[in-house]
Amino acid sequence: LNPIAGFPVCVGSNGNVEHQLQTLRTQLQQICPCGGTPLTECIQSICNRWRSLSLRPGQRIFVIIVTDGEPNGPASCFSSALKQFSRDLPVNFVVRLCTDDDHIGNFYRKLDADDELSLDVVDDILNESKDVYLKNPWLCYSFVLHTVREAGTLLKHFDWIDERQLLPYEASLCARLLLSGSAFVGDAESFLKIAKRDIAQSPRILS
């Protein structure tokens, strides 16, 4: 959604949260998808806003980009804006795709492959679940896990589940987290035994 004027940012730790939420609701009701995709300018504006704020030690910023198109202007300008943000502040980016256009999806996936950026691309739940099944068929991709990835997570393993087959220890870590912290064991046979026990005691994801 392209703002009518400027790029407003709601900061929950500064000011009246309910007032900010109401302002955001009003803005969303007044605008609709139209025009170009000024993502480069938006990223620069958000970065400038965060530079003026004090982050606590260990605190990170998550920037969620919800888009159906490529950014206006040269791709290099958008990439540079993301990298400058990453150099200036501890930030993770999540791109939530709102399109089935493969060309647009591939544009953002190329950025995902850039080692200089902490960026994850998340498609809709149907396409994500298909990709996860192709790479890691042992994992039942749930709405909860999809929501976690849409909001951004520091655990890179949940970024990789739709990109490549997880290594045994990576799959073990993901399984333990999803099963509410099953006890860690060194050998595969013991872990599978514990995981099988915990799965039987866990609520069903899909019925």
Side-chain angles (χ1 to χ4, degrees):
L1 299 177
N2 298 338
I4 297 173
F7 303 96
V9 178
C10 291
V11 182
S13 61
N14 182 19
N16 186 298
V17 175
E18 186 55 41
H19 175 71
Q20 293 182 29
L21 289 174
Q22 185 55 48
T23 300
L24 178 60
R25 294 188 190 102
T26 301
Q27 291 171 343
L28 290 175
Q29 291 170 355
Q30 292 176 345
I31 57 179
C32 63
C34 62
T37 311
L39 291 178
T40 302
E41 299 88 341
C42 187
I43 289 296
Q44 291 170 337
S45 176
I46 294 173
C47 183
N48 290 334
R49 178 70 66 93
W50 275 103
R51 282 197 192 100
S52 65
L53 302 175
S54 297
L55 294 177
R56 295 189 298 272
Q59 192 174 20
R60 292 190 67 84
I61 302 165
F62 281 84
V63 176
I64 316 300
I65 302 171
V66 184
T67 184
D68 65 350
E70 295 181 28
N72 297 342
S76 59
C77 291
F78 180 63
S79 176
S80 296
L82 294 176
K83 291 178 180 179
Q84 186 62 54
F85 200 155
S86 298
R87 285 191 290 267
D88 293 349
L89 295 161
V91 61
N92 289 60
F93 300 100
V94 178
V95 177
R96 293 174 55 181
L97 295 177
C98 301
T99 177
D100 291 329
D101 190 317
D102 290 337
H103 178 76
I104 294 172
N106 290 334
F107 171 84
Y108 289 105
R109 290 186 183 94
K110 287 181 181 178
L111 291 173
D112 189 4
D114 192 326
D115 292 335
E116 293 186 54
L117 293 172
S118 181
L119 182 146
D120 187 19
V121 178
V122 181
D123 208 335
D124 63 82
I125 188 169
L126 179 60
N127 285 315
E128 285 295 315
S129 61
K130 289 179 179 178
D131 290 339
V132 170
Y133 181 77
L134 290 174
K135 301 295 191 304
N136 294 283
W138 58 271
L139 177 59
C140 182
Y141 191 70
S142 67
F143 283 99
V144 173
L145 182 52
H146 186 68
T147 301
V148 168
R149 295 181 65 227
E150 285 183 323
T153 174
L154 294 175
L155 188 66
K156 291 296 293 181
H157 301 70
F158 288 144
D159 180 3
W160 298 332
I161 57 175
D162 65 332
E163 298 176 1
R164 63 170 175 80
Q165 184 179 31
L166 295 183
L167 299 174
Y169 79 91
E170 295 170 342
S172 171
L173 175 60
C174 287
R176 285 188 287 121
L177 290 172
L178 295 172
L179 292 171
S180 301
S182 297
F184 175 80
V185 288
D187 63 286
E189 185 176 347
S190 298
F191 173 74
L192 290 175
K193 182 178 180 180
I194 294 174
K196 185 177 181 180
R197 178 202 66 194
D198 290 351
I199 289 173
Q201 298 173 355
S202 299
R204 294 179 64 87
I205 294 175
L206 302 172
S207 58

